[in-house]
Amino acid sequence: LQDNDEVQRKGLVAVSYAIGMSSTEFCGAMIRESSNMIIQGLPLLARSAHICLQDHALKPLFSMLMAAGPPEIRIRLRLHFGSHIECQYHLNSFGIPSSVVPINADGSLKMDEFRQRLEALKLAEAHEEHLENLLNQDTIPFPMDKDVISGKGVRAMRHPGTVALMKMVQQAKPRHDAASRTEKTKICEEIVAAIKADGGRFLRRKNGCGGWCEVEEDMPREKVAQGFRNLRKSKKRKHS
């Protein structure tokens, strides 16, 4: 959760749902410990915590325990008592819809939602493991905005770094057209140096792993030169 931007921005609302548990299974000490963990321990912005219990007879006891707790916990902690339907109604009144509680009104688990969340977690873990493997292989997981991508297709041409390169090529085209062969090479090298000085890299797909790597030493200059050639071809097509 600490990696989720939306949770960090809006804050965490925790729900402890103990309907069907006995008082010995869910005692006041557990409330204090879980509250401290939510409010103080996690590296998250905690908005509130809601604890749902079934036995109304426990209300005076837990209310007393809450009153004895520190103010920063009391103002964020809410106790709800009743059946599944009653507690879900109480949560609704605080803007927590029943759809986010993975329990049906009869107390049974919503297995379809549980499986969906489990699959989402597995996919996230697999993606994180894949990125770690790429880093261990000295592989770049994905291009940054300032990087120039080598390759054909719309994705490569529309990447921000490639677009920035083509703008530089267009600006330098009049000087490049009037330059000698040696001067043209120097202009290409100047553009490559400007891209790298701004933090950009010239990347290509790395075979077999789905990651990226930097191109060979002469390839960046050839990429720029190809940009000038493409502009000349485009101009000829327009006038033909």
Side-chain angles (χ1 to χ4, degrees):
L1 288 175
Q2 58 264 37
D3 296 328
N4 188 302
D5 292 339
E6 186 176 6
V7 171
Q8 292 286 19
R9 184 174 65 256
K10 295 182 178 180
L12 174 71
V13 176
V15 177
S16 179
Y17 202 83
I19 306 301
M21 295 177 64
S22 66
S23 58
T24 56
E25 293 174 311
F26 200 87
C27 60
M30 185 179 293
I31 288 184
R32 290 195 301 273
E33 291 300 322
S34 61
S35 300
N36 286 330
M37 180 187 69
I38 293 169
I39 303 301
Q40 299 173 7
L42 294 176
L44 294 167
L45 174 61
R47 293 295 185 185
S48 63
H50 298 260
I51 299 176
C52 300
L53 298 167
Q54 189 168 6
D55 190 354
H56 284 275
L58 296 174
K59 188 173 183 178
L61 172 62
F62 286 114
S63 297
M64 182 177 64
L65 291 172
M66 278 185 61
E72 61 269 20
I73 291 181
R74 288 202 306 270
I75 61 175
R76 291 180 171 86
L77 185 61
R78 294 291 182 271
L79 291 175
H80 310 293
F81 293 86
S83 63
H84 290 287
I85 294 177
E86 289 172 327
C87 284
Q88 291 190 19
Y89 175 79
H90 292 316
L91 292 175
N92 285 336
S93 68
F94 283 90
I96 303 173
S98 301
S99 59
V100 302
V101 180
I103 300 176
N104 294 310
D106 60 359
S108 60
L109 287 174
K110 297 177 181 177
M111 295 305 298
D112 290 341
E113 292 187 11
F114 174 77
R115 293 189 185 96
Q116 290 175 3
R117 293 180 183 181
L118 185 61
E119 287 301 319
L121 286 173
K122 288 181 179 179
L123 288 174
E125 290 175 356
H127 179 65
E128 184 175 347
E129 184 177 353
H130 175 65
L131 293 181
E132 288 180 359
N133 290 335
L134 293 180
L135 292 174
N136 292 335
Q137 298 169 9
D138 293 328
T139 300
I140 300 168
F142 47 81
M144 305 300 286
D145 284 348
K146 293 183 179 181
D147 294 332
V148 177
I149 295 179
S150 295
K152 299 179 180 179
V154 176
R155 180 184 177 187
M157 295 304 298
R158 291 184 177 177
H159 187 76
T162 309
V163 172
L165 169 64
M166 290 310 299
K167 287 182 179 179
M168 296 174 70
V169 169
Q170 288 176 336
Q171 292 171 356
K173 186 177 183 302
R175 187 161 63 98
H176 187 270
D177 290 343
S180 65
R181 186 181 183 88
T182 302
E183 290 171 339
K184 287 180 178 180
T185 299
K186 185 178 180 181
I187 291 171
C188 291
E189 290 175 346
E190 288 174 357
I191 293 176
V192 171
I195 292 288
K196 292 183 176 181
D198 194 37
R201 300 166 294 184
F202 289 79
L203 305 180
R204 64 171 177 82
R205 277 286 188 184
K206 189 172 183 179
N207 296 332
C209 69
W212 300 79
C213 63
E214 294 196 50
V215 301
E216 291 73 15
E217 185 175 351
D218 292 336
M219 290 300 294
R221 188 179 68 235
E222 176 57 29
K223 176 76 173 177
V224 178
Q226 183 63 47
F228 284 115
R229 290 194 292 270
N230 290 342
L231 284 181
R232 285 198 299 271
K233 291 178 183 178
S234 176
K235 186 176 181 179
K236 288 180 180 179
R237 283 196 296 268
K238 288 181 180 179
H239 291 286
S240 61

